[in-house]
Amino acid sequence: MSGHVFGPVPSRRLGRSLGVDLVPFKTCTYDCIYCQLGPTTCRTLQRKEWVPLELVLQELEEKLDTRPDYITLSGSGEPTLFTPLDKLIEGIRKVTDIPIAVLTNGSLLGSWDVQWDLSVADLVIPSLDAGNDVTFRLVNRPHAGISFERMLAGLAAFRRRFRKQYWLEVFLLGGYTTFERELADLRRCVELIQPDRVQLNTVTRPPAEDYAIAVSHAQLEEIAAMFSPPAEVIAEFHSVQALEVGEASREEILQLLRRRPCSIDDIADGLGMHRNEVLKSVEHLNTEGLVEGTQVGGKYYYKAVQQSSR
Ligand code: SF4
Protein backbone atom coordinates (compact mmCIF):
# COMPACT_ATOMS: atom_id res chain seq x y z
CA MET A 1 0.00 0.00 0.00
CA SER A 2 1.43 3.41 -0.94
CA GLY A 3 0.22 6.95 -1.56
CA HIS A 4 0.04 8.12 2.05
CA VAL A 5 1.14 11.65 1.20
CA PHE A 6 -1.07 13.74 -1.05
CA GLY A 7 -1.36 17.23 -2.45
CA PRO A 8 -0.42 19.93 -1.63
CA VAL A 9 -4.12 20.48 -1.04
CA PRO A 10 -5.57 24.01 -1.18
CA SER A 11 -6.66 24.59 2.41
CA ARG A 12 -8.86 27.47 3.49
CA ARG A 13 -6.83 27.91 6.67
CA LEU A 14 -3.41 26.50 5.99
CA GLY A 15 -2.56 27.71 2.50
CA ARG A 16 -0.98 24.88 0.53
CA SER A 17 -1.08 21.93 2.81
CA LEU A 18 0.77 18.66 2.19
CA GLY A 19 -1.57 15.99 3.52
CA VAL A 20 -0.44 12.86 5.32
CA ASP A 21 -2.92 10.01 5.53
CA LEU A 22 -2.26 7.75 8.51
CA VAL A 23 -5.15 5.29 8.40
CA PRO A 24 -6.90 3.27 5.67
CA PHE A 25 -9.82 4.96 3.90
CA LYS A 26 -12.64 5.91 6.30
CA THR A 27 -11.09 4.39 9.41
CA CYS A 28 -12.51 6.69 12.06
CA THR A 29 -14.03 6.92 15.52
CA TYR A 30 -17.01 8.79 14.02
CA ASP A 31 -19.37 8.36 11.07
CA CYS A 32 -20.42 12.00 10.57
CA ILE A 33 -23.49 12.62 8.45
CA TYR A 34 -21.67 15.46 6.68
CA CYS A 35 -18.42 13.58 5.97
CA GLN A 36 -17.19 14.45 2.50
CA LEU A 37 -15.59 11.01 2.18
CA GLY A 38 -18.88 9.09 2.50
CA PRO A 39 -19.88 6.57 5.19
CA THR A 40 -17.29 5.21 7.64
CA THR A 41 -16.28 1.68 6.71
CA CYS A 42 -14.21 0.96 9.84
CA ARG A 43 -15.53 2.64 13.00
CA THR A 44 -12.99 1.83 15.66
CA LEU A 45 -11.13 2.99 18.78
CA GLN A 46 -8.09 0.83 18.08
CA ARG A 47 -4.82 2.77 17.95
CA LYS A 48 -2.07 1.04 16.01
CA GLU A 49 0.46 1.47 13.20
CA TRP A 50 -2.26 1.31 10.53
CA VAL A 51 0.27 2.21 7.82
CA PRO A 52 4.08 1.68 7.94
CA LEU A 53 5.80 4.60 9.69
CA GLU A 54 9.01 4.35 7.64
CA LEU A 55 7.11 4.31 4.34
CA VAL A 56 5.13 7.43 5.30
CA LEU A 57 8.35 9.27 6.23
CA GLN A 58 10.00 8.22 2.99
CA GLU A 59 7.03 9.36 0.85
CA LEU A 60 6.90 12.64 2.73
CA GLU A 61 10.57 13.39 2.20
CA GLU A 62 10.12 12.81 -1.54
CA LYS A 63 7.39 15.48 -1.67
CA LEU A 64 9.07 18.22 0.35
CA ASP A 65 10.21 19.95 -2.85
CA THR A 66 6.55 20.95 -3.42
CA ARG A 67 7.22 23.61 -0.73
CA PRO A 68 3.95 23.39 1.23
CA ASP A 69 2.95 25.96 3.88
CA TYR A 70 2.01 23.17 6.31
CA ILE A 71 2.41 19.44 6.66
CA THR A 72 -1.00 18.32 7.80
CA LEU A 73 -1.83 15.02 9.44
CA SER A 74 -5.39 14.45 8.34
CA GLY A 75 -6.51 12.43 5.33
CA SER A 76 -9.27 9.92 4.95
CA GLY A 77 -9.97 9.06 8.59
CA GLU A 78 -8.99 9.98 12.16
CA PRO A 79 -5.20 10.53 12.38
CA THR A 80 -4.94 10.04 16.16
CA LEU A 81 -5.79 6.37 15.61
CA PHE A 82 -2.25 6.00 14.25
CA THR A 83 0.65 5.08 16.53
CA PRO A 84 3.46 5.96 17.02
CA LEU A 85 2.29 9.48 16.21
CA ASP A 86 5.01 11.15 18.31
CA LYS A 87 7.72 9.21 16.43
CA LEU A 88 6.19 10.29 13.13
CA ILE A 89 6.21 13.96 14.11
CA GLU A 90 9.77 13.67 15.42
CA GLY A 91 10.76 11.99 12.13
CA ILE A 92 9.25 14.85 10.12
CA ARG A 93 11.09 17.39 12.29
CA LYS A 94 14.40 15.75 11.44
CA VAL A 95 13.98 16.48 7.71
CA THR A 96 12.13 19.82 7.61
CA ASP A 97 11.11 22.84 9.66
CA ILE A 98 7.76 23.23 7.84
CA PRO A 99 5.10 23.58 10.56
CA ILE A 100 3.06 20.48 11.39
CA ALA A 101 -0.70 20.71 11.85
CA VAL A 102 -3.06 17.96 13.01
CA LEU A 103 -6.74 17.94 12.02
CA THR A 104 -8.55 15.68 14.45
CA ASN A 105 -12.16 15.05 15.40
CA GLY A 106 -10.96 15.38 19.01
CA SER A 107 -12.68 12.21 20.22
CA LEU A 108 -9.49 10.69 21.67
CA LEU A 109 -8.03 13.82 23.28
CA GLY A 110 -9.04 12.52 26.71
CA SER A 111 -6.37 9.84 26.37
CA TRP A 112 -3.07 10.73 28.00
CA ASP A 113 -1.18 8.90 25.19
CA VAL A 114 -2.88 10.94 22.47
CA GLN A 115 -2.20 14.15 24.39
CA TRP A 116 1.46 13.21 24.68
CA ASP A 117 1.73 12.44 20.92
CA LEU A 118 0.06 15.69 19.85
CA SER A 119 1.99 17.89 22.23
CA VAL A 120 4.89 18.00 19.72
CA ALA A 121 2.74 19.42 16.87
CA ASP A 122 2.70 23.16 16.00
CA LEU A 123 -1.03 23.52 15.47
CA VAL A 124 -3.90 21.26 16.52
CA ILE A 125 -7.38 21.76 15.04
CA PRO A 126 -10.01 19.62 16.75
CA SER A 127 -13.73 19.61 15.88
CA LEU A 128 -16.80 20.08 17.98
CA ASP A 129 -20.06 19.84 16.05
CA ALA A 130 -22.60 19.58 18.87
CA GLY A 131 -23.04 20.98 22.36
CA ASN A 132 -24.99 18.08 23.84
CA ASP A 133 -25.12 14.30 23.78
CA VAL A 134 -28.30 13.95 21.69
CA THR A 135 -27.09 16.12 18.81
CA PHE A 136 -23.57 14.64 19.07
CA ARG A 137 -25.01 11.17 18.44
CA LEU A 138 -27.17 12.39 15.54
CA VAL A 139 -24.44 14.38 13.76
CA ASN A 140 -21.20 12.53 14.53
CA ARG A 141 -22.58 8.99 15.03
CA PRO A 142 -19.60 8.08 17.28
CA HIS A 143 -18.26 4.63 18.17
CA ALA A 144 -20.29 3.19 21.06
CA GLY A 145 -17.27 3.57 23.37
CA ILE A 146 -17.22 7.38 23.09
CA SER A 147 -19.38 9.50 25.37
CA PHE A 148 -20.09 13.19 24.77
CA GLU A 149 -18.95 14.13 28.28
CA ARG A 150 -15.62 12.33 27.95
CA MET A 151 -15.01 13.79 24.48
CA LEU A 152 -15.72 17.31 25.76
CA ALA A 153 -13.55 16.83 28.85
CA GLY A 154 -10.73 15.63 26.55
CA LEU A 155 -10.95 18.76 24.37
CA ALA A 156 -10.68 20.96 27.48
CA ALA A 157 -7.93 18.88 29.11
CA PHE A 158 -5.69 19.03 26.04
CA ARG A 159 -6.15 22.80 25.85
CA ARG A 160 -4.78 23.12 29.37
CA ARG A 161 -1.73 21.09 28.40
CA PHE A 162 -1.08 22.37 24.84
CA ARG A 163 0.33 25.89 24.83
CA LYS A 164 0.67 26.26 21.04
CA GLN A 165 -2.12 27.20 18.62
CA TYR A 166 -5.39 25.33 19.21
CA TRP A 167 -8.24 26.17 16.83
CA LEU A 168 -11.68 24.67 17.29
CA GLU A 169 -13.69 23.93 14.16
CA VAL A 170 -17.47 23.87 14.57
CA PHE A 171 -19.27 22.32 11.63
CA LEU A 172 -22.85 23.60 11.59
CA LEU A 173 -25.78 21.89 9.87
CA GLY A 174 -29.16 23.38 8.94
CA GLY A 175 -31.96 21.86 11.00
CA TYR A 176 -29.53 20.40 13.58
CA THR A 177 -27.29 23.03 15.09
CA THR A 178 -28.78 26.33 13.93
CA PHE A 179 -31.39 26.58 16.73
CA GLU A 180 -30.68 28.98 19.61
CA ARG A 181 -30.78 26.20 22.22
CA GLU A 182 -28.17 24.19 20.31
CA LEU A 183 -26.01 27.26 19.76
CA ALA A 184 -26.18 28.15 23.45
CA ASP A 185 -24.95 24.63 24.29
CA LEU A 186 -22.10 25.03 21.80
CA ARG A 187 -21.10 28.39 23.28
CA ARG A 188 -20.99 26.87 26.77
CA CYS A 189 -18.66 24.15 25.47
CA VAL A 190 -16.40 26.72 23.78
CA GLU A 191 -16.16 28.64 27.07
CA LEU A 192 -15.07 25.46 28.80
CA ILE A 193 -12.50 24.54 26.11
CA GLN A 194 -10.95 28.02 25.66
CA PRO A 195 -9.46 27.52 22.16
CA ASP A 196 -7.34 30.22 20.52
CA ARG A 197 -9.87 30.50 17.70
CA VAL A 198 -13.33 29.21 16.84
CA GLN A 199 -13.94 28.58 13.15
CA LEU A 200 -17.37 27.93 11.70
CA ASN A 201 -17.79 25.65 8.74
CA THR A 202 -20.69 24.04 6.91
CA VAL A 203 -21.43 21.72 4.01
CA THR A 204 -19.68 22.89 0.84
CA ARG A 205 -18.77 19.50 -0.61
CA PRO A 206 -20.88 16.40 -1.24
CA PRO A 207 -21.84 14.97 2.23
CA ALA A 208 -22.25 11.34 3.32
CA GLU A 209 -26.01 11.86 3.81
CA ASP A 210 -28.30 13.99 1.62
CA TYR A 211 -30.02 15.36 4.73
CA ALA A 212 -26.81 17.06 5.94
CA ILE A 213 -27.85 20.56 4.90
CA ALA A 214 -25.63 23.62 4.53
CA VAL A 215 -26.10 26.84 6.52
CA SER A 216 -26.13 30.03 4.42
CA HIS A 217 -23.12 32.33 4.56
CA ALA A 218 -25.29 35.13 5.98
CA GLN A 219 -26.54 32.90 8.81
CA LEU A 220 -23.01 31.69 9.55
CA GLU A 221 -21.91 35.32 9.93
CA GLU A 222 -24.82 36.00 12.32
CA ILE A 223 -23.95 32.92 14.38
CA ALA A 224 -20.24 33.84 14.41
CA ALA A 225 -21.07 37.18 16.03
CA MET A 226 -22.82 35.37 18.92
CA PHE A 227 -19.55 33.83 20.12
CA SER A 228 -17.33 35.77 22.49
CA PRO A 229 -14.84 36.64 21.12
CA PRO A 230 -16.55 36.33 17.71
CA ALA A 231 -15.95 33.16 15.73
CA GLU A 232 -14.54 33.21 12.20
CA VAL A 233 -16.44 31.92 9.20
CA ILE A 234 -13.95 29.92 7.22
CA ALA A 235 -14.04 31.54 3.81
CA GLU A 236 -13.70 29.62 0.59
CA PHE A 237 -10.10 29.06 -0.41
CA HIS A 238 -8.48 31.65 -2.65
CA SER A 239 -5.28 30.85 -4.50
CA VAL A 240 -2.33 31.34 -2.15
CA GLN A 241 0.57 30.95 -4.50
CA ALA A 242 1.27 29.15 -7.72
CA LEU A 243 4.18 26.79 -8.02
CA GLU A 244 6.88 27.81 -10.42
CA VAL A 245 6.75 24.48 -12.12
CA GLY A 246 3.12 23.42 -12.62
CA GLU A 247 3.62 19.69 -12.97
CA ALA A 248 1.55 16.98 -11.36
CA SER A 249 0.75 13.54 -12.59
CA ARG A 250 -2.67 12.10 -13.08
CA GLU A 251 -1.93 9.79 -10.17
CA GLU A 252 -1.44 12.85 -7.92
CA ILE A 253 -4.84 14.20 -8.97
CA LEU A 254 -6.36 10.82 -8.19
CA GLN A 255 -4.63 10.66 -4.79
CA LEU A 256 -6.01 14.12 -3.99
CA LEU A 257 -9.56 13.21 -5.06
CA ARG A 258 -9.42 10.05 -2.94
CA ARG A 259 -9.01 12.21 0.17
CA ARG A 260 -11.19 15.15 -0.65
CA PRO A 261 -13.76 16.18 -3.28
CA CYS A 262 -12.32 19.15 -5.20
CA SER A 263 -13.40 21.58 -7.87
CA ILE A 264 -11.20 22.04 -10.93
CA ASP A 265 -9.88 25.28 -9.37
CA ASP A 266 -9.08 23.51 -6.06
CA ILE A 267 -6.94 20.97 -7.91
CA ALA A 268 -5.21 23.62 -10.00
CA ASP A 269 -4.43 25.75 -6.91
CA GLY A 270 -3.28 22.85 -4.79
CA LEU A 271 -1.10 21.07 -7.30
CA GLY A 272 0.17 24.18 -9.07
CA MET A 273 -1.28 23.15 -12.45
CA HIS A 274 -2.89 25.16 -15.21
CA ARG A 275 -6.69 24.94 -15.12
CA ASN A 276 -6.90 23.58 -18.68
CA GLU A 277 -4.37 20.89 -17.90
CA VAL A 278 -6.49 19.84 -14.88
CA LEU A 279 -9.68 19.85 -16.96
CA LYS A 280 -8.13 17.53 -19.52
CA SER A 281 -6.82 15.05 -16.92
CA VAL A 282 -10.10 15.03 -14.96
CA GLU A 283 -12.07 14.46 -18.17
CA HIS A 284 -9.93 11.42 -18.92
CA LEU A 285 -10.27 10.08 -15.38
CA ASN A 286 -14.03 10.59 -15.62
CA THR A 287 -14.25 8.69 -18.91
CA GLU A 288 -12.30 5.84 -17.34
CA GLY A 289 -14.77 5.72 -14.44
CA LEU A 290 -12.08 6.61 -11.88
CA VAL A 291 -13.66 9.89 -10.76
CA GLU A 292 -17.20 11.22 -10.66
CA GLY A 293 -18.67 14.71 -10.41
CA THR A 294 -21.43 16.11 -8.17
CA GLN A 295 -22.91 19.58 -7.94
CA VAL A 296 -23.11 21.23 -4.50
CA GLY A 297 -24.28 24.80 -3.95
CA GLY A 298 -23.93 25.65 -7.65
CA LYS A 299 -20.31 24.41 -7.80
CA TYR A 300 -19.07 21.20 -9.42
CA TYR A 301 -16.87 18.86 -7.37
CA TYR A 302 -15.03 15.72 -8.38
CA LYS A 303 -14.16 12.78 -6.16
CA ALA A 304 -12.50 9.44 -6.75
CA VAL A 305 -14.73 6.43 -7.23
CA GLN A 306 -13.63 4.21 -4.35
CA GLN A 307 -12.27 0.87 -5.49
CA SER A 308 -12.77 -2.23 -3.30
CA SER A 309 -9.16 -1.98 -2.01
CA ARG A 310 -6.43 0.58 -2.40
S1 SF4 B 1 -15.81 14.09 9.01
FE1 SF4 B 1 -13.87 13.45 9.93
S2 SF4 B 1 -14.50 12.70 11.91
FE2 SF4 B 1 -16.33 12.72 10.70
S3 SF4 B 1 -16.48 10.67 9.81
FE3 SF4 B 1 -15.40 11.97 8.32
S4 SF4 B 1 -13.26 11.60 8.78
FE4 SF4 B 1 -14.39 10.91 10.56
Side-chain angles (χ1 to χ4, degrees), residues 6-248:
F6 59 99
V9 179
S11 159
R12 286 171 282 190
R13 292 168 286 194
L14 305 176
R16 294 177 59 257
S17 146
L18 189 61
V20 185
D21 200 355
L22 297 173
V23 290
F25 186 74
K26 278 317 300 269
T27 300
C28 193
T29 53
Y30 289 175
D31 182 17
C32 304
I33 61 172
Y34 64 79
C35 186
Q36 63 188 22
L37 300 166
T40 295
T41 44
C42 177
R43 189 163 35 183
T44 182
L45 296 179
Q46 190 183 11
R47 297 193 76 215
K48 66 173 187 177
E49 190 174 347
W50 288 93
V51 295
L53 171 70
E54 288 308 322
L55 181 59
V56 174
L57 286 170
Q58 186 192 323
E59 284 181 22
L60 185 78
E61 211 171 334
E62 285 164 10
K63 290 202 105 181
L64 288 178
D65 60 357
T66 57
R67 291 177 289 137
D69 300 307
Y70 270 93
I71 292 169
T72 307
L73 312 187
S74 57
S76 55
E78 173 50 37
T80 60
L81 285 171
F82 175 86
T83 57
L85 201 49
D86 56 341
K87 295 274 177 302
L88 175 82
I89 297 176
E90 281 163 19
I92 300 172
R93 288 250 188 270
K94 282 188 189 146
V95 293
T96 180
D97 57 4
I98 295 169
I100 300 166
V102 183
L103 301 189
T104 169
N105 64 23
S107 58
L108 302 181
L109 285 176
S111 148
W112 195 89
D113 288 348
V114 174
Q115 290 185 17
W116 170 267
D117 289 354
L118 292 189
S119 61
V120 283
D122 297 295
L123 167 63
V124 176
I125 309 182
S127 306
L128 177 76
D129 304 327
N132 58 65
D133 181 63
V134 173
T135 311
F136 174 57
R137 295 200 174 279
L138 287 172
V139 170
N140 297 117
R141 300 188 297 199
H143 185 281
I146 297 173
S147 78
F148 175 76
E149 290 306 327
R150 189 170 144 72
M151 177 278 294
L152 182 60
L155 286 170
F158 185 62
R159 161 71 300 178
R160 289 194 293 275
R161 175 174 184 163
F162 186 64
R163 301 323 304 170
K164 287 178 263 178
Q165 285 293 298
Y166 192 54
W167 302 350
L168 186 71
E169 175 170 341
V170 179
F171 200 100
L172 293 171
L173 292 172
Y176 283 90
T177 37
T178 45
F179 305 114
E180 179 42 36
R181 203 181 55 194
E182 296 289 335
L183 291 167
D185 284 349
L186 274 166
R187 287 195 297 267
R188 269 194 293 277
C189 295
V190 168
E191 268 171 43
L192 181 81
I193 299 167
Q194 299 274 308
D196 295 301
R197 296 185 187 184
V198 177
Q199 300 183 316
L200 303 187
N201 204 351
T202 191
V203 178
T204 54
R205 293 163 198 276
E209 307 289 357
D210 293 343
Y211 54 83
I213 309 272
V215 181
S216 73
H217 191 263
Q219 194 177 4
L220 277 182
E221 291 288 359
E222 269 174 38
I223 294 171
M226 295 175 187
F227 284 83
S228 175
E232 303 162 45
V233 174
I234 306 173
E236 277 294 337
F237 177 81
H238 296 296
S239 176
V240 175
Q241 62 183 77
L243 287 178
E244 280 163 25
V245 183
E247 289 285 324

